[in-house]
Amino acid sequence: RSNIRRYRLQRDSAMDLDDIHEISEYSEMTLRAMIARLKKSRGPEQCIYRETELDEMWRIVDIAARNADSGTADTLNQLRAAIMTAHDLVGMDEKPLDAAAALEAILPAVNLLR
């Protein structure tokens, strides 16, 4: 029961749209949480928060891509490009739903990184 409660607390805190969430990796779970926040984000302030999170995710993926073997690097470069597209959609165009769609499109490739 305590594990279920902890998961619910983590899930609920991951949906606080009026805060910048720490991004420390680019797993499928992290991407899905980002997609969920993008889908619910409204207004310029929340878009700026998501843009900041995407900045950090891009930085982490960029470091990984530079240090990866060629096969993994190709996938990471695709992920990096999708993150940049989402970043621009939410940050410059204030289109969080389009940003979420850009990340959703790359999810199958992310699953190959396991």
Side-chain angles (χ1 to χ4, degrees):
R1 273 209 180 297
S2 66
N3 287 339
I4 292 171
R5 179 168 163 63
R6 187 176 319 128
Y7 170 76
R8 284 186 183 142
L9 288 172
Q10 289 171 348
R11 185 191 65 204
D12 293 343
S13 67
M15 220 17 124
D16 183 0
L17 302 175
D18 293 321
D19 199 5
I20 297 172
H21 295 266
E22 180 181 338
I23 304 295
S24 60
E25 43 87 25
Y26 52 88
S27 69
E28 179 186 1
M29 187 170 79
T30 298
L31 281 168
R32 287 189 184 281
M34 172 65 75
I35 290 165
R37 286 193 304 277
L38 283 164
K39 286 181 175 181
K40 292 183 180 269
S41 292
R42 301 291 181 265
E45 191 170 331
Q46 289 180 358
C47 285
I48 289 169
Y49 296 156
R50 302 301 79 81
E51 179 186 23
T52 301
E53 294 165 359
L54 287 163
D55 278 337
E56 184 61 14
M57 188 179 291
W58 185 93
R59 187 187 69 76
I60 292 166
V61 172
D62 184 57
I63 291 168
R66 290 173 192 246
N67 296 312
D69 62 53
S70 62
T72 303
D74 289 343
T75 303
L76 288 169
N77 286 329
Q78 291 173 24
L79 175 57
R80 184 173 53 188
I83 292 169
M84 183 54 66
T85 298
H87 171 275
D88 291 347
L89 285 166
V90 74
M92 294 180 356
D93 301 333
E94 289 186 25
K95 295 182 175 179
L97 295 176
D98 291 347
L103 293 180
E104 284 177 323
I106 197 68
L107 280 174
V110 172
N111 288 329
L112 299 175
L113 293 172
R114 291 186 204 181

